[in-house]
mmCIF file of all heavy atoms in Angstrom:
data_model
loop_
_atom_site.group_PDB
_atom_site.id
_atom_site.type_symbol
_atom_site.label_atom_id
_atom_site.label_comp_id
_atom_site.label_asym_id
_atom_site.label_seq_id
_atom_site.Cartn_x
_atom_site.Cartn_y
_atom_site.Cartn_z
ATOM 1 N N GLY B 409 4.370 16.400 -68.694
ATOM 2 C CA GLY B 409 4.252 15.003 -68.258
ATOM 3 C C GLY B 409 5.457 14.600 -67.438
ATOM 4 O O GLY B 409 5.938 13.465 -67.539
ATOM 5 N N LEU B 410 5.946 15.541 -66.620
ATOM 6 C CA LEU B 410 7.153 15.276 -65.825
ATOM 7 C C LEU B 410 6.860 14.330 -64.663
ATOM 8 O O LEU B 410 5.711 14.111 -64.285
ATOM 9 C CB LEU B 410 7.720 16.599 -65.271
ATOM 10 C CG LEU B 410 8.547 17.419 -66.257
ATOM 11 C CD1 LEU B 410 7.689 17.998 -67.347
ATOM 12 C CD2 LEU B 410 9.319 18.516 -65.564
ATOM 13 N N PHE B 411 7.931 13.875 -64.102
ATOM 14 C CA PHE B 411 7.889 12.954 -62.985
ATOM 15 C C PHE B 411 7.969 13.803 -61.708
ATOM 16 O O PHE B 411 8.883 14.606 -61.557
ATOM 17 C CB PHE B 411 9.064 12.007 -63.162
ATOM 18 C CG PHE B 411 9.625 11.346 -61.954
ATOM 19 C CD1 PHE B 411 8.852 10.466 -61.214
ATOM 20 C CD2 PHE B 411 10.945 11.548 -61.588
ATOM 21 C CE1 PHE B 411 9.390 9.813 -60.119
ATOM 22 C CE2 PHE B 411 11.489 10.905 -60.503
ATOM 23 C CZ PHE B 411 10.703 10.038 -59.762
ATOM 24 N N ALA B 412 6.970 13.695 -60.843
ATOM 25 C CA ALA B 412 6.940 14.540 -59.635
ATOM 26 C C ALA B 412 7.051 13.667 -58.392
ATOM 27 O O ALA B 412 6.290 12.725 -58.215
ATOM 28 C CB ALA B 412 5.664 15.364 -59.596
ATOM 29 N N MET B 413 7.980 14.023 -57.552
ATOM 30 C CA MET B 413 8.212 13.287 -56.301
ATOM 31 C C MET B 413 7.273 13.826 -55.214
ATOM 32 O O MET B 413 6.537 14.774 -55.444
ATOM 33 C CB MET B 413 9.683 13.465 -55.896
ATOM 34 C CG MET B 413 10.656 12.703 -56.795
ATOM 35 S SD MET B 413 10.600 10.926 -56.518
ATOM 36 C CE MET B 413 11.643 10.807 -55.053
ATOM 37 N N PRO B 414 7.313 13.236 -54.025
ATOM 38 C CA PRO B 414 6.421 13.695 -52.953
ATOM 39 C C PRO B 414 6.562 15.186 -52.621
ATOM 40 O O PRO B 414 5.654 15.775 -52.039
ATOM 41 C CB PRO B 414 6.830 12.824 -51.755
ATOM 42 C CG PRO B 414 7.349 11.575 -52.382
ATOM 43 C CD PRO B 414 8.038 12.010 -53.644
ATOM 44 N N ASP B 415 7.674 15.805 -53.004
ATOM 45 C CA ASP B 415 7.838 17.231 -52.695
ATOM 46 C C ASP B 415 7.006 18.129 -53.615
ATOM 47 O O ASP B 415 6.864 19.326 -53.333
ATOM 48 C CB ASP B 415 9.326 17.634 -52.782
ATOM 49 C CG ASP B 415 9.920 17.422 -54.172
ATOM 50 O OD1 ASP B 415 9.312 16.679 -54.984
ATOM 51 O OD2 ASP B 415 10.987 17.980 -54.456
ATOM 52 N N ALA B 416 6.465 17.585 -54.701
ATOM 53 C CA ALA B 416 5.756 18.445 -55.644
ATOM 54 C C ALA B 416 4.401 17.888 -56.090
ATOM 55 O O ALA B 416 3.496 18.645 -56.438
ATOM 56 C CB ALA B 416 6.625 18.686 -56.880
ATOM 57 N N TYR B 417 4.258 16.588 -56.088
ATOM 58 C CA TYR B 417 3.053 15.948 -56.624
ATOM 59 C C TYR B 417 1.779 16.507 -55.989
ATOM 60 O O TYR B 417 0.804 16.834 -56.672
ATOM 61 C CB TYR B 417 3.132 14.437 -56.386
ATOM 62 C CG TYR B 417 1.925 13.656 -56.866
ATOM 63 C CD1 TYR B 417 1.885 13.108 -58.148
ATOM 64 C CD2 TYR B 417 0.825 13.455 -56.038
ATOM 65 C CE1 TYR B 417 0.791 12.392 -58.584
ATOM 66 C CE2 TYR B 417 -0.278 12.743 -56.461
ATOM 67 C CZ TYR B 417 -0.300 12.214 -57.739
ATOM 68 O OH TYR B 417 -1.397 11.507 -58.168
ATOM 69 N N TYR B 418 1.797 16.609 -54.676
ATOM 70 C CA TYR B 418 0.628 17.020 -53.891
ATOM 71 C C TYR B 418 0.121 18.396 -54.328
ATOM 72 O O TYR B 418 -1.076 18.590 -54.579
ATOM 73 C CB TYR B 418 1.071 17.023 -52.420
ATOM 74 C CG TYR B 418 0.017 17.029 -51.362
ATOM 75 C CD1 TYR B 418 -1.336 16.910 -51.659
ATOM 76 C CD2 TYR B 418 0.388 17.148 -50.017
ATOM 77 C CE1 TYR B 418 -2.288 16.914 -50.648
ATOM 78 C CE2 TYR B 418 -0.554 17.156 -49.004
ATOM 79 C CZ TYR B 418 -1.896 17.049 -49.321
ATOM 80 O OH TYR B 418 -2.809 17.064 -48.317
ATOM 81 N N GLU B 419 1.038 19.351 -54.466
ATOM 82 C CA GLU B 419 0.638 20.708 -54.859
ATOM 83 C C GLU B 419 0.042 20.710 -56.270
ATOM 84 O O GLU B 419 -0.951 21.382 -56.545
ATOM 85 C CB GLU B 419 1.835 21.678 -54.805
ATOM 86 C CG GLU B 419 2.231 22.115 -53.409
ATOM 87 C CD GLU B 419 2.836 21.009 -52.560
ATOM 88 O OE1 GLU B 419 3.373 20.039 -53.130
ATOM 89 O OE2 GLU B 419 2.760 21.098 -51.317
ATOM 90 N N ILE B 420 0.675 19.963 -57.155
ATOM 91 C CA ILE B 420 0.174 19.903 -58.534
ATOM 92 C C ILE B 420 -1.236 19.316 -58.532
ATOM 93 O O ILE B 420 -2.137 19.798 -59.215
ATOM 94 C CB ILE B 420 1.131 19.059 -59.412
ATOM 95 C CG1 ILE B 420 2.486 19.761 -59.533
ATOM 96 C CG2 ILE B 420 0.521 18.812 -60.792
ATOM 97 C CD1 ILE B 420 3.583 18.902 -60.153
ATOM 98 N N LYS B 421 -1.414 18.278 -57.740
ATOM 99 C CA LYS B 421 -2.715 17.601 -57.696
ATOM 100 C C LYS B 421 -3.791 18.518 -57.123
ATOM 101 O O LYS B 421 -4.916 18.561 -57.632
ATOM 102 C CB LYS B 421 -2.581 16.345 -56.825
ATOM 103 C CG LYS B 421 -2.885 15.016 -57.503
ATOM 104 C CD LYS B 421 -2.627 14.955 -58.966
ATOM 105 C CE LYS B 421 -3.494 13.925 -59.647
ATOM 106 N NZ LYS B 421 -3.313 13.905 -61.102
ATOM 107 N N VAL B 422 -3.456 19.259 -56.084
ATOM 108 C CA VAL B 422 -4.460 20.139 -55.476
ATOM 109 C C VAL B 422 -4.856 21.254 -56.449
ATOM 110 O O VAL B 422 -6.029 21.613 -56.557
ATOM 111 C CB VAL B 422 -3.967 20.694 -54.119
ATOM 112 C CG1 VAL B 422 -4.907 21.791 -53.607
ATOM 113 C CG2 VAL B 422 -3.881 19.561 -53.095
ATOM 114 N N ARG B 423 -3.898 21.757 -57.222
ATOM 115 C CA ARG B 423 -4.243 22.769 -58.228
ATOM 116 C C ARG B 423 -5.205 22.200 -59.274
ATOM 117 O O ARG B 423 -6.106 22.877 -59.742
ATOM 118 C CB ARG B 423 -2.980 23.295 -58.914
ATOM 119 C CG ARG B 423 -2.412 24.460 -58.141
ATOM 120 C CD ARG B 423 -1.130 24.953 -58.738
ATOM 121 N NE ARG B 423 -0.205 25.245 -57.664
ATOM 122 C CZ ARG B 423 1.080 25.383 -57.807
ATOM 123 N NH1 ARG B 423 1.641 25.249 -58.993
ATOM 124 N NH2 ARG B 423 1.844 25.666 -56.781
ATOM 125 N N GLN B 424 -4.976 20.945 -59.604
ATOM 126 C CA GLN B 424 -5.860 20.294 -60.577
ATOM 127 C C GLN B 424 -7.270 20.144 -59.993
ATOM 128 O O GLN B 424 -8.270 20.360 -60.684
ATOM 129 C CB GLN B 424 -5.263 18.929 -60.929
ATOM 130 C CG GLN B 424 -6.104 18.140 -61.914
ATOM 131 C CD GLN B 424 -5.740 16.669 -61.890
ATOM 132 O OE1 GLN B 424 -4.582 16.296 -61.729
ATOM 133 N NE2 GLN B 424 -6.735 15.812 -62.053
ATOM 134 N N ILE B 425 -7.351 19.789 -58.729
ATOM 135 C CA ILE B 425 -8.653 19.648 -58.066
ATOM 136 C C ILE B 425 -9.377 20.994 -58.044
ATOM 137 O O ILE B 425 -10.576 21.086 -58.317
ATOM 138 C CB ILE B 425 -8.456 19.099 -56.626
ATOM 139 C CG1 ILE B 425 -7.930 17.658 -56.681
ATOM 140 C CG2 ILE B 425 -9.748 19.188 -55.818
ATOM 141 C CD1 ILE B 425 -7.326 17.162 -55.362
ATOM 142 N N GLN B 426 -8.606 22.060 -57.769
ATOM 143 C CA GLN B 426 -9.198 23.399 -57.731
ATOM 144 C C GLN B 426 -9.705 23.826 -59.113
ATOM 145 O O GLN B 426 -10.718 24.506 -59.228
ATOM 146 C CB GLN B 426 -8.184 24.411 -57.185
ATOM 147 C CG GLN B 426 -7.957 24.209 -55.688
ATOM 148 C CD GLN B 426 -6.699 24.899 -55.164
ATOM 149 O OE1 GLN B 426 -5.820 25.275 -55.932
ATOM 150 N NE2 GLN B 426 -6.625 25.036 -53.837
ATOM 151 N N ALA B 427 -9.001 23.365 -60.153
ATOM 152 C CA ALA B 427 -9.441 23.684 -61.517
ATOM 153 C C ALA B 427 -10.799 23.038 -61.787
ATOM 154 O O ALA B 427 -11.679 23.643 -62.411
ATOM 155 C CB ALA B 427 -8.410 23.212 -62.531
ATOM 156 N N LEU B 428 -10.989 21.816 -61.301
ATOM 157 C CA LEU B 428 -12.286 21.157 -61.505
ATOM 158 C C LEU B 428 -13.373 21.878 -60.701
ATOM 159 O O LEU B 428 -14.489 22.062 -61.181
ATOM 160 C CB LEU B 428 -12.214 19.675 -61.126
ATOM 161 C CG LEU B 428 -13.507 18.895 -61.412
ATOM 162 C CD1 LEU B 428 -13.862 18.920 -62.890
ATOM 163 C CD2 LEU B 428 -13.402 17.457 -60.919
ATOM 164 N N GLU B 429 -13.020 22.313 -59.517
ATOM 165 C CA GLU B 429 -13.996 23.076 -58.715
ATOM 166 C C GLU B 429 -14.389 24.372 -59.426
ATOM 167 O O GLU B 429 -15.561 24.752 -59.446
ATOM 168 C CB GLU B 429 -13.423 23.374 -57.325
ATOM 169 C CG GLU B 429 -13.404 22.120 -56.441
ATOM 170 C CD GLU B 429 -12.551 22.263 -55.186
ATOM 171 O OE1 GLU B 429 -11.931 23.333 -54.979
ATOM 172 O OE2 GLU B 429 -12.505 21.289 -54.413
#
Side-chain angles (χ1 to χ4, degrees):
Chain B
L410 280 69
F411 155 64
M413 289 288 279
D415 61 343
Y417 179 92
Y418 197 6
E419 284 69 24
I420 294 169
K421 240 29 206 177
V422 170
R423 272 177 222 163
Q424 179 198 324
I425 293 163
Q426 289 164 343
L428 184 61
E429 286 166 359

